[in-house]
């Protein structure tokens, strides 16, 4: 199916083949960024952020600017008519009149699905509460494919707040569509991966293993995906204080990891990865943030129906 005009609310909205198209275009953009610098001239992206963000908002805005397009939006809902009580539906309907595509982050799970009822232009979920964050997943898939060469046959450990972390929900659902993936869920009892996600991966024929002990499994991992304990999702702050430092990956622990293991993290981090890991070549979380901009360039192009730029070889051949 064509990606032009589609919405992206959850990671399963695109088939494996469609994701492949986006990742291939991302890799082409990485190799030839200057060729894409004007392809979105005259197009406008709206970024509506009802919740704080550094990477997602700024990488979307950078992506659109690097494609030659423009950006409008808000990063603080109180500066919009939301503060006067305007509904989500009316906001989306209005912004649809101005922009060619809409990116929205919202604290309420399910708000992205709700927004798609009102949009007239492609709509992208930039994170809805503890539910999903599908463009972080595209970022993660591009990182794994670029640095490991394939999305198949990996043992992935996901560590930290697996209950509230929307990035891990989207990533697990997406990775369960590839062959030979083993999931290891590493969390305290209070922050375990939700049952509906575990059921979904079993339906795809994958095994998973759960533990609260990172040291026990670290040496068996191809990828360690660390996550922050999501303070903003806790009703009981005492419980947050109890759990916030449950896992701290540091240089000394990294000695027990494989030489080619990737340490990924959607960021922001708090304490869960010590800064002494940052210089380790296996720590790829800032590289991952950069891949996020390229994959969002590709996603914007695909949803707007912008044609891929031919490479040099083809242009010479045509001439
Ligand atoms: N990874 C991620 O979603 O980061 P931000 O919250 O800074 O956008």
């Amino acid at each position: 199916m064509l990606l032009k005009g589609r919405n992206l609310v959850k990671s399963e909205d695109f088939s494996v083949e469609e994701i492949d198209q986006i990742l291939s275009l991302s890799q082409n953009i990485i190799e030839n960024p200057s060729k894409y610098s004007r392809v979105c001239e005259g197009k406008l992206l709206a970024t509506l952020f009802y919740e704080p963000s550094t990477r997602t908002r700024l990488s979307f805005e950078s992506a659109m600017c690097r494609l030659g397009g423009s950006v409008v939006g808000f990063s603080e809902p109180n500066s919009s008519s939301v503060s006067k009580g305007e509904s989500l539906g009316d906001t989306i309907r209005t912004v649809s009149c101005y922009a060619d595509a809409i990116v929205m982050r919202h604290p309420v799970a399910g708000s992205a699905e709700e927004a798609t009822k009102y949009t007239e232009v492609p709509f992208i979920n930039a994170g809805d509460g503890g539910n999903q964050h599908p463009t972080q997943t595209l970022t993660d898939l591009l990182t794994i494919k670029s640095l490991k060469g394939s999305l198949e046959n990996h043992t992935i450990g996901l560590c930290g707040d697996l209950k509230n972390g929307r990035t891990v929900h989207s990533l697990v659902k997406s990775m369960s569509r590839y062959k030979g993936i083993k999931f290891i869920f590493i969390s305290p009892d209070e922050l375990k991966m939700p049952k509906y996600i575990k059921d979904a991966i079993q339906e795809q024929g994958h095994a998973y293993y759960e533990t609260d002990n990172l040291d026990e499994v670290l040496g068996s991992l191809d990828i360690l995906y660390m996550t922050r304990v999501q303070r903003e999702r806790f009703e009981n702050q005492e419980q947050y204080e109890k759990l916030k430092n449950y896992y701290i990956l540091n240089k000394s622990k990294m000695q027990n990891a494989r030489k080619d293991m990737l340490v990924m993290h959607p960021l922001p981090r708090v304490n869960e990865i010590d800064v002494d890991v940052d210089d380790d070549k296996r720590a790829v979380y800032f590289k991952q943030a950069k891949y996020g901009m390229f994959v969002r360039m590709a996603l914007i192009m695909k949803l707007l129906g912008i044609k891929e730029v031919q490479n040099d070889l083809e242009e010479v051949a045509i001439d």
Side-chain angles (χ1 to χ4, degrees):
M1 230 160 98
L2 264 184
L3 284 165
K4 182 181 176 184
R6 299 258 296 275
N7 300 320
L8 177 58
V9 170
K10 51 190 189 304
S11 55
E12 315 88 279
D13 285 344
F14 295 167
S15 66
V16 168
E17 293 72 28
E18 289 165 343
I19 287 175
D20 225 46
Q21 284 178 35
I22 294 170
L23 301 186
S24 295
L25 176 55
S26 310
Q27 286 173 322
N28 204 339
I29 294 171
I30 291 169
E31 283 161 22
N32 305 289
S34 62
K35 288 193 171 175
Y36 291 88
S37 63
R38 296 178 66 175
V39 295
C40 280
E41 257 179 11
K43 300 288 184 192
L44 189 61
L45 180 74
T47 54
L48 314 183
F49 277 69
Y50 292 77
E51 252 194 352
S53 166
T54 297
R55 276 143 294 274
T56 312
R57 183 171 69 83
L58 295 180
S59 65
F60 262 116
E61 296 184 355
S62 307
M64 192 53 166
C65 292
R66 286 179 184 275
L67 294 169
S70 307
V71 179
V72 292
F74 54 78
S75 56
E76 167 49 65
N78 288 332
S79 68
S80 75
S81 286
V82 171
S83 63
K84 301 176 207 158
E86 184 167 50
S87 69
L88 178 65
D90 285 359
T91 303
I92 297 294
R93 227 173 241 194
T94 305
V95 177
S96 277
C97 300
Y98 309 141
D100 297 293
I102 298 175
V103 176
M104 183 186 86
R105 170 170 288 185
H106 199 284
V108 178
S111 55
E113 192 70 56
E114 178 69 11
T116 60
K117 294 181 191 159
Y118 303 98
T119 188
E120 300 286 335
V121 295
F123 174 89
I124 302 168
N125 178 11
D128 61 327
N131 187 31
Q132 284 233 10
H133 192 350
T135 67
Q136 180 64 46
T137 296
L138 291 175
T139 300
D140 300 339
L141 297 181
L142 180 61
T143 306
I144 295 169
K145 190 167 183 191
S146 302
L147 301 179
K148 284 282 187 192
S150 163
L151 291 169
E152 296 180 352
N153 302 316
H154 300 304
T155 299
I156 306 179
L158 299 111
C159 178
D161 187 349
L162 308 186
K163 176 183 173 194
N164 299 302
R166 57 194 172 200
T167 62
V168 288
H169 301 165
S170 292
L171 180 61
V172 166
K173 282 194 144 191
S174 205
M175 284 302 290
S176 67
R177 301 195 292 185
Y178 296 91
K179 276 194 295 189
I181 300 298
K182 289 189 196 130
F183 295 103
I184 300 186
F185 299 141
I186 309 148
S187 71
D189 259 3
E190 297 88 334
L191 300 177
K192 279 172 118 173
M193 184 64 82
K195 185 172 177 309
Y196 76 92
I197 303 274
K198 292 187 282 196
D199 288 347
I201 62 173
Q202 273 185 325
E203 273 167 31
Q204 298 279 351
H206 290 284
Y208 66 85
Y209 174 70
E210 285 184 298
T211 178
D212 68 350
N213 187 344
L214 175 59
D215 297 329
E216 174 205 350
V217 293
L218 188 59
S220 66
L221 303 178
D222 299 310
I223 297 162
L224 172 60
Y225 196 98
M226 293 295 291
T227 63
R228 166 180 73 93
V229 177
Q230 307 266 306
R231 186 180 58 193
E232 64 278 28
R233 312 274 177 236
F234 278 73
E235 282 169 18
N236 177 341
Q237 284 306 301
E238 257 176 49
Q239 195 179 38
Y240 168 73
E241 291 299 325
K242 186 182 121 196
L243 296 170
K244 69 177 184 187
N245 292 326
Y246 205 94
Y247 300 106
I248 299 180
L249 183 70
N250 56 26
K251 200 172 183 167
S252 144
K253 278 190 197 290
M254 284 295 286
Q255 286 174 356
N256 300 320
R258 289 183 180 166
K259 295 275 175 284
D260 62 349
M261 185 187 80
L262 298 183
V263 184
M264 297 175 64
H265 191 309
L267 303 178
R269 76 169 145 190
V270 185
N271 288 329
E272 58 280 358
I273 302 180
D274 197 292
V275 290
D276 72 6
V277 178
D278 292 0
D279 292 334
D280 190 310
K281 68 176 178 21
R282 295 168 289 183
V284 298
Y285 27 90
F286 290 110
K287 224 180 241 187
Q288 186 182 349
K290 191 164 184 177
Y291 281 123
M293 180 184 73
F294 293 114
V295 90
R296 289 176 175 110
M297 289 171 79
L299 177 66
I300 292 167
M301 281 183 62
K302 289 287 183 190
L303 299 189
L304 294 183
I306 308 284
K307 285 212 166 56
E308 210 162 315
V309 176
Q310 301 294 306
N311 64 33
D312 281 335
L313 213 60
E314 285 166 355
E315 277 178 1
V316 170
I318 288 162
D319 284 343

